[in-house]
Structures are given as C-alpha cells and as structure tokens.
C-alpha cells in the first residue's frame, strides 16, 4: 500500500491507498503546533484499524520537510504532489485551485507544456487563516460562518489583502447594521477575488476547475461563491472525494517502491529518533538579566500616572467626557475641571461599536447613581475609527483627529515630548514633535503585522491570556529571532521555533522584539535613532505589555515613558 502524509501550517493529513488507489485509511486534524505528536497519533490509529501493513511512504507540506529530513522519510514538494494527484485522478482538469491554512495555489494544466504553478507570496489574504480571523471577529464558528453565507442577499466590498485590515471593513459594515449573512458571503467573495486576481494575473481560469484544500472542502458556501466569481457553472467544478486530503493523496501516489516499511517500523522511528535542539541558534538577548532587574524596572515602569479620584472627591459639578471608538476596543474617560480621572472604561468592541459605547455609558450612570453626586457633562468629544458614527449616534459635541488626541494626552505627561508611538489593535501611528508642534506623522499602510491584534492572535493560538503571555516573555532567557512578517506568515516561524524546542516564553519575547523591529524598520524605516529625540512616549493598549516596552528600550538604548493609562490616552 501507499502512505501519503501532508503536514501543513495548521493541519496534518494522513492517507493510505491500496493498489487500486482506494483510500483504506485517512485522517485530517489540526496539529496545534504539536506536529510529531499528531502524526504519531494518526499512524497508531491506522495501525489499529488496518494492521501492521507494509507501505511505500512519502511526505509533503510546508511543515513536512523538517520531519522528512529528521526521520529519513522521502519528501515530495506539495505542488508536485498535487499535480501528480490531478494528473492521475482527473486527466482532463485544466485548473487546480487549492486553499490551505496559510497559502493558496493555482495550477494551470496544458496539453502542450508543463503545468504553470502559482502560489501566494508576501500576503496571506485569501487563505484559511484569513477566514479564521474573520470568523473570530464575527464571533461565530467556521461552520456558522458558512451557514450565514448560504443565506446572503448581497455582496459588499471587503479588503482581502490583509486579514487584520479586513477587520476595519467588517467592523464598518457591522456598525452600519449590515447583516452577518451578507458580511459572511462578502468575506468569502473577498477570498475568491484575492486568489483570482493575485494568482491568475490575467491568465484564463479555464474549466474544468478542480477545488481542493480544507476551506473549499468544509465550507460549501465558499465553493459556491468562488464558482460565481469564476463565472463558470457548477458542472465545470471538479470535487474529489476527499479534497482536504489532495496533497496527501498526491504524496501517496508519488511514493517510490524503494522505501518499504512496516507501519510499526515507521512509528518506532518517529518515537525513538531524537531531534537536536539548538537553543542558542538565531536567538536574541534576554529582556532582563535576572528577576531582580525585572522587578526594579517594573516598579518604575508605570510611575508616570495621572490623578484618579472618586466622583465624590471631585470639585464642582462640571465634567468632560472623552470616547475613543477604536478598531477593536472602545475606551471612555470622564474627567473633572482639574483634569482628574473620575471614571474610565475599556472594552472589546466585538464588532458592535455603538453597543460598546452604550454599555460604557450605562456603567458610568451606575457609578454616578451609586455616588449620589449630581454631575453636569459640560462637553463631549470622540476620536478613533468610529468617530463620525459615534458622534452622530450620541450627539457628541466634538470629533477629534486621533493624532491630535494622542498629542494632547502625551503633553499632560511631558510637555517636551519629541516622539509619540501609538500601537493600537490594527494600526500604529508615529508622531514626531518639534518645538511643541507636530512636524510629521507616519502610519502603517500595507501591512498590520506588529499591531495589538498580532500579539493577541498568537497568545490565543498558544493557549495563553494576553497578560500571562506578556509576563512569561519577561522571564525568557533566549528570545527567538522571528523577524518581521505578516501576522499569518509569522505562524510558520513560530511553529518552526516550537519544533526546534523553543519555549512559549521565548516565542512571546521574540514577538515583542518583532513588533518593535516592524515599526522601526518597516513602518518608519529608521536609520538613525536620534530622529526620535530624547523624550519618547508610548501609548496604546499594546504597551500594556511590558515586554514590548522593554524590547523598544533595549533596541534603541534609551528610557521610554509609558503612562500608567497607556490604553486610555
């Protein structure tokens, strides 16, 4: 029999074909970065079901090469495996479209020349992880997202080049009251158009078209919307029996006869071989030398505070309300005439910015009622992504440009501020100040790696709350050098580090370094640190993470002021 293994960025697929090409065993599962453990579990299940058979084995996939090299298993490149499977099972196919966890592929077949193979490059839009992020934003499972999309009435434009930037469009649609059914279908349409436009690049996608990969297997509505976007009929679409296993089937078909093993032999090899762990390979300096240094630094880190008092302690009855309706969170602050904070509120939008403000104002009303104090809100202002929406919805007095709001807040802590860096949920802003006047503003544009959502997604994927994830980073001895990449592509670097024996704390610290390097070298393109000046202030919820603050100081060699209320600035 033939054993094909496909270990991708997020899933592990195993299939065993008999001599007639029929699958006698198959399994598809998420490996959650525990690649070897998942593979062994699948092979043990096969051993129980079909016995200790002899197999010709071959492995493929983005994470399969490392397993192949370490355990002496023949490797076949994923696109070659898919091509071999298509030629064998569907000789008349003209176009193969495969959507994976972190990649998407198109293969054009021709009778006169070799297959033309296209694959996504620097952007992960149009992949399974992109869809995952959108489902999380809508607070639904993948199955629910598919069911919602099956009931849509119209398609609306959504950015597809970056999963985090697409959130802005989705949140805008939610705030306008667009149904989740239409949003779900629009997300699928964005995926289809991203793949069609970036991978076909003018080349005709001719039928018959073969759909494969997990998203096109488990999300029928995605396939239907994709078919409409291709402007072909359903009869032009080929769907194999197990499209999610297609590269694994291709690996099995590609396996040679020179490597014949019993399943028990293969399992024994995987269980007894050792992986050498190079803990100091491509690593960065620790954020702190020891716990004493960490403790001393933490003690003064948030010493820059603003006065917070009870409502009953405030002078006078006039108060001023500020709202920041951000891309992922909503913040509300009430101050008295002396600038003392008497109420603050911070919450995740969950795609409903108006509801977030309503809940915040309800919390304020409860606080006022409990205090028994009479208050008069003399003036109100709003800033952030939802500025126009919230100002109109609640009849607020002023809308403030976000950079100006940041500058006004920073000057409360240091009137000589020379540089302000704000990192929010999906954007970052760098504000340069000269002689008390804003001289330049830089914002991230084409990529959202290094923003708050970037860290939040990794902490969640690795099973940590964001606060615990930040804390363990400060204790890491050998932070991983993960570079600066797209949020989704960074998954591959993180999983590679886990395979090489890195701890979660070393990965968390490495991500903190990546965030800093991203805004310094990709967004600002800094060559001379002196342009930041001597009075640097950092703001935004991301800087509640002490590891990011410390990594910034370590790289530039300067102390940086982080206000105690960084997320409320």
């Amino acid at each position: 029999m033939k054993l094909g293994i496909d270990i991708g960025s997020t899933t592990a697929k195993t299939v065993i074909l008999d001599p007639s090409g029929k699958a006698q065993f198959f399994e598809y599962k998420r490996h959650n970065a525990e690649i070897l453990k998942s593979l062994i579990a699948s092979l043990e299940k096969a051993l129980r079901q079909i016995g200790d058979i002899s197999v010709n084995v071959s492995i493929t996939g983005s994470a399969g090469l490392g397993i192949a090299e370490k355990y002496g298993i023949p490797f076949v490149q994923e696109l070659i495996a898919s091509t071999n499977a298509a030629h064998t099972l569907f000789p008349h196919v003209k176009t193969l479209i495969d959507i994976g966890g972190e990649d998407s592929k198109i293969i054009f077949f021709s009778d006169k020349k070799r297959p033309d193979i296209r694959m996504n490059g620097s952007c992960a839009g149009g992949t399974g992880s992109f869809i995952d992020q959108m489902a999380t934003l809508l607070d639904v499972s993948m199955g629910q997202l598919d069911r919602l999309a099956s009931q849509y009435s119209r398609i609306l434009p959504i950015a597809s080049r970056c999963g985090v930037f697409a959130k802005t469009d989705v949140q805008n649609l939610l705030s306008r009251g667009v149904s989740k059914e239409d949003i779900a279908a629009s997300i699928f349409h964005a995926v289809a158009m991203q793949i069609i436009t970036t991978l076909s690049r003018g080349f005709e996608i001719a039928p018959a078209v073969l759909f494969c990969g997990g998203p096109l297997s488990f999300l029928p509505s995605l396939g239907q919307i994709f078919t409409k976007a291709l402007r072909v009929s359903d009869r032009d679409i080929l769907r194999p029996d197990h499209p999610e296993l297609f590269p694994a089937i291709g690996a099995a078909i590609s396996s040679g006869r020179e490597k014949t093993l019993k399943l028990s032999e293969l399992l024994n090899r995987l269980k007894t071989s050792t992986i050498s762990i190079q803990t100091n390979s491509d690593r960065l300096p620790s954020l702190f030398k020891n716990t004493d240094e960490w403790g001393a630094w933490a003690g003064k880190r948030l010493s820059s505070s603003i006065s917070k008092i009870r409502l009953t302690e405030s002078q006078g009855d006039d108060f001023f309300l500020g709202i920041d309706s951000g891309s992922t969170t909503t913040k509300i602050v009430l101050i008295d005439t002396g600038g003392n904070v008497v109420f603050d509120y911070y919450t995740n939008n969950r795609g409903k910015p108006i509801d977030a403000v309503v809940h915040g104002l309800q919390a304020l009303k409860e606080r006022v009622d409990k205090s028994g104090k009479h208050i008069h809100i003399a003036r109100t202002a709003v800033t952030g992504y939802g500025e126009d929406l919230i100002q109109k919805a609640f009849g607020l007095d002023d809308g403030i440009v976000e950079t100006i709001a940041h500058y006004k807040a920073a000057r409360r802590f240091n009137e000589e501020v020379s540089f302000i860096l704000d990192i929010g949920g999906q954007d970052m802003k760098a504000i340069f100040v000269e002689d008390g006047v804003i001289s330049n503003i830089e914002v991230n544009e084409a990529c959202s790696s290094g923003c708050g959502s970037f860290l939040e997604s990794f902490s969640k994927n690795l099973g940590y709350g964001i606060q615990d994830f930040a804390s363990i980073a400060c204790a890491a001895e050998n932070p991983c050098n993960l570079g600066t990449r797209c949020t989704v592509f960074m998954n591959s670097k993180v999983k590679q580090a886990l395979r090489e024996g890195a701890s979660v704390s070393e990965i968390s610290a490495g991500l903190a370094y990546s965030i800093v390097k991203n805004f310094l070298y990709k967004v600002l393109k800094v060559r001379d640190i002196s342009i930041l000046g001597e009075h640097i202030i950092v703001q935004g919820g991301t800087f509640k993470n002490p590891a990011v603050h410390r990594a910034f100081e370590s790289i530039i060699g300067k102390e940086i002021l982080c206000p105690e209320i960084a997320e409320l600035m």
Side-chain angles (χ1 to χ4, degrees):
M1 295 192 185
K2 290 177 174 288
L3 167 62
I5 300 166
D6 173 20
I7 302 182
S9 55
T10 57
T11 56
K13 287 79 74 177
T14 308
V15 63
I16 296 176
L17 306 179
D18 64 19
S20 70
K22 183 178 179 181
Q24 295 298 319
F25 172 85
F26 59 88
E27 186 167 52
Y28 176 101
K29 65 198 303 186
R30 291 202 175 220
H31 53 60
N32 297 317
E34 295 183 329
I35 292 169
L36 188 60
K37 182 179 177 181
S38 297
L39 177 56
I40 289 173
S42 290
L43 294 177
E44 286 178 334
K45 183 176 179 181
L47 182 64
R48 292 192 300 270
Q49 287 190 11
I50 59 178
D52 194 11
I53 58 170
S54 295
V55 292
N56 303 123
V57 60
S58 184
I59 191 168
T60 190
S62 58
L65 183 58
I67 296 290
E69 291 174 343
K70 286 162 184 156
Y71 300 103
I73 301 172
F75 178 81
V76 57
Q77 208 281 335
E78 186 178 355
L79 291 165
I80 302 301
S82 294
T83 299
N84 290 341
H87 276 313
T88 302
L89 303 175
F90 301 97
H92 60 295
V93 66
K94 294 298 181 184
T95 310
L96 181 148
I97 298 176
D98 182 349
I99 303 178
E102 294 177 9
D103 55 29
S104 50
K105 301 169 280 288
I106 291 183
I107 303 175
F108 297 102
F109 296 95
S110 171
D111 297 332
K112 299 178 181 178
K113 56 184 179 181
R114 291 181 178 180
D116 185 345
I117 298 172
R118 315 278 181 90
M119 191 170 179
N120 64 322
S122 60
C123 179
T127 66
S129 291
F130 176 93
I131 301 171
D132 261 341
Q133 290 181 9
M134 297 300 102
T136 300
L137 179 60
L138 291 177
D139 201 22
V140 297
S141 67
M142 292 288 269
Q144 289 171 321
L145 185 71
D146 187 71
R147 287 192 289 275
L148 287 169
S150 68
Q151 301 166 32
Y152 81 96
S153 58
R154 56 177 175 155
I155 297 290
L156 298 149
I158 290 177
S160 58
R161 62 178 178 173
C162 174
V164 183
F165 276 133
K167 290 181 180 179
T168 304
D169 287 343
V170 171
Q171 286 163 338
N172 184 37
L173 294 175
L174 286 168
S175 69
R176 286 162 44 195
V178 174
S179 70
K180 284 191 175 182
E181 288 80 1
D182 287 350
I183 294 174
S186 300
I187 289 167
F188 287 167
H189 183 262
V191 169
M193 295 312 298
Q194 173 73 5
I195 293 172
I196 292 169
T197 55
T198 60
L199 297 187
S200 66
R201 294 191 292 274
F203 202 94
E204 182 185 1
I205 298 179
V209 179
L210 174 63
F211 280 167
C212 55
L216 285 169
S217 303
F218 303 121
L219 303 172
S221 297
L222 173 62
Q224 293 166 9
I225 290 170
F226 215 126
T227 301
K228 288 185 178 180
L230 291 171
R231 297 179 182 177
V232 297
S233 66
D234 196 59
R235 64 177 177 274
D236 294 320
I237 303 298
L238 303 173
R239 293 182 173 87
D241 291 338
H242 302 288
E244 75 279 12
L245 302 172
F246 207 70
I249 293 170
I253 290 171
S254 305
S255 63
R257 297 185 178 182
E258 70 279 0
K259 286 280 185 181
T260 302
L261 292 168
K262 292 277 192 181
L263 275 181
S264 58
E265 291 179 75
L266 179 57
L267 275 165
N268 186 58
R269 183 184 298 185
L270 295 172
K271 290 177 180 179
T272 58
S273 296
T274 57
I275 300 177
S276 60
I277 299 174
Q278 300 176 337
T279 55
N280 291 313
S281 173
D282 201 18
R283 296 301 176 99
L284 298 167
S286 60
L287 295 172
F288 298 98
K289 295 176 183 176
N290 50 51
T291 54
D292 289 341
E293 184 183 34
W294 178 13
W297 179 86
K300 65 178 183 179
R301 170 174 125 82
L302 299 178
S303 58
S304 299
S305 60
I306 197 164
S307 174
K308 285 188 175 185
I309 61 174
R310 294 191 181 97
L311 265 169
T312 52
E313 298 171 335
S314 61
Q315 300 297 316
D317 293 332
D318 282 347
F319 294 86
F320 304 87
L321 182 74
I323 298 175
D324 176 16
S325 180
S327 57
T328 57
T329 57
T330 291
K331 286 78 70 176
I332 300 176
V333 169
L334 188 73
I335 64 174
D336 65 10
T337 52
N340 304 298
V341 173
V342 296
F343 173 82
D344 62 84
Y345 182 79
Y346 183 99
T347 189
N348 193 298
N349 289 340
R350 301 193 180 279
K352 297 179 178 180
I354 291 179
D355 287 355
V357 174
V358 168
H359 293 152
L361 295 179
Q362 286 173 337
L364 171 58
K365 182 178 185 302
E366 290 171 8
R367 179 78 61 86
V368 172
D369 290 345
K370 189 175 181 181
S371 72
K373 183 178 177 70
H374 170 76
I375 75 166
H376 170 241
I377 298 181
R379 194 83 182 169
T380 56
V382 60
T383 190
Y385 275 83
E387 175 191 326
D388 292 339
L389 173 72
I390 300 303
Q391 185 178 8
K392 289 185 174 73
F394 293 90
L396 303 182
D397 298 314
D398 303 308
I400 307 293
V401 176
E402 197 169 353
T403 48
I404 299 299
H406 277 296
Y407 174 56
K408 293 269 190 182
R411 288 203 55 163
R412 285 295 302 273
F413 288 86
N414 185 346
E415 288 193 357
E416 297 180 62
V417 59
S418 60
F419 178 76
I420 305 162
L421 176 68
D422 167 65
I423 301 183
Q426 61 192 52
D427 62 7
M428 58 181 70
K429 294 174 285 293
I431 304 168
F432 295 83
V433 182
E434 290 183 19
D435 301 322
V437 177
I438 294 176
S439 60
N440 187 31
I441 298 170
E442 297 284 351
V443 297
N444 59 323
E445 293 179 354
C447 180
S448 57
S449 65
C451 297
S453 295
F454 175 89
L455 262 185
E456 193 173 7
S457 64
F458 279 108
S459 64
K460 183 178 179 181
N461 290 342
L462 292 169
Y464 281 78
I466 189 64
Q467 291 183 337
D468 291 336
F469 196 61
S471 180
I472 61 175
C474 295
E477 294 184 4
N478 297 290
C480 298
N481 187 358
L482 300 171
T484 56
R485 306 187 73 195
C486 162
T487 305
V488 180
F489 283 131
M490 184 67 83
N491 279 324
S492 299
K493 291 281 285 186
V494 168
K495 286 164 187 169
Q496 180 65 29
L498 287 169
R499 289 194 294 273
E500 293 175 355
S503 66
V504 175
S505 65
E506 290 167 338
I507 288 169
S508 180
L511 289 168
Y513 271 112
S514 292
I515 281 179
V516 176
K517 290 179 178 179
N518 180 69
F519 70 70
L520 280 177
Y521 306 131
K522 287 178 66 179
V523 177
L524 299 183
K525 299 179 174 63
V526 169
R527 295 181 181 176
D528 182 3
I529 294 298
S530 67
I531 68 170
L532 306 183
E534 298 300 320
H535 303 281
I536 301 170
I537 294 182
V538 291
Q539 305 182 168
T542 300
F543 282 103
K544 295 293 281 185
N545 182 329
V548 178
H549 180 184
R550 180 64 174 179
F552 192 7
E553 289 187 334
S554 299
I555 289 174
I556 69 172
K558 295 182 180 182
E559 285 193 10
I560 295 167
L561 189 153
C562 179
E564 183 187 14
I565 56 166
E567 77 282 13
L568 301 174
M569 293 288 278

